[in-house]
Amino acid sequence: GSFATSAGVKVDGILQVIGGALSTAQGNIQTTKDIIVTKSGMLIASINSTAMNISTNANLIVNATSQVIVQGALSVGATIQLGAQSTLNVTKGYASALAL
C-alpha cells in the first residue's frame, strides 16, 4: 500500500519501504539509521515542485527496481547502495558527512 503525509517523517531507527510508496508533501524525511527501499517501492520527497529533503545518519539502500525521488537535498551519513534498475533522482544537490 501507499502512505502519503502532508507533514514530515522522522524515524528514530530504520525506515523501510517494502513495495508501495511513501511520500511527503510538506516536510522532510529524516532517520537515525538506514533507509531501505525494496520490492519496487518508492520513496518520494516532493510534491508540486516544492522541494523536500531526505537525510539519514546511516545508509541509503535502494534495491532492484525501487525508486527514490528527492526534490531537495539528499544527506547520507555512510553509503549509498543502488541495485539493478533502481532509480535515485536528486534535484537540488547531494550532501554527505563523508568525503566523496
Side-chain angles (χ1 to χ4, degrees):
S2 298
F3 177 76
T5 174
S6 60
V9 174
K10 201 166 190 175
V11 179
D12 185 9
I14 294 172
L15 173 63
Q16 196 164 13
V17 180
I18 306 170
L22 169 63
S23 62
T24 61
Q26 297 172 0
N28 302 318
I29 297 170
Q30 297 175 289
T31 72
T32 57
K33 294 190 177 171
D34 292 348
I35 296 174
I36 303 168
V37 187
T38 187
K39 296 194 186 294
S40 299
M42 294 181 70
L43 180 62
I44 304 166
S46 70
I47 193 163
N48 299 335
S49 73
T50 301
M52 299 300 148
N53 305 316
I54 291 180
S55 65
T56 172
N57 293 350
N59 303 298
L60 173 63
I61 301 166
V62 187
N63 288 336
T65 69
S66 296
Q67 297 181 62
V68 173
I69 299 165
V70 191
Q71 284 204 332
L74 172 64
S75 177
V76 178
T79 66
I80 296 175
Q81 300 170 35
L82 300 176
Q85 297 173 339
S86 62
T87 301
L88 174 60
N89 188 322
V90 184
T91 306
K92 298 290 183 188
Y94 166 74
S96 173
L98 299 180
L100 295 179

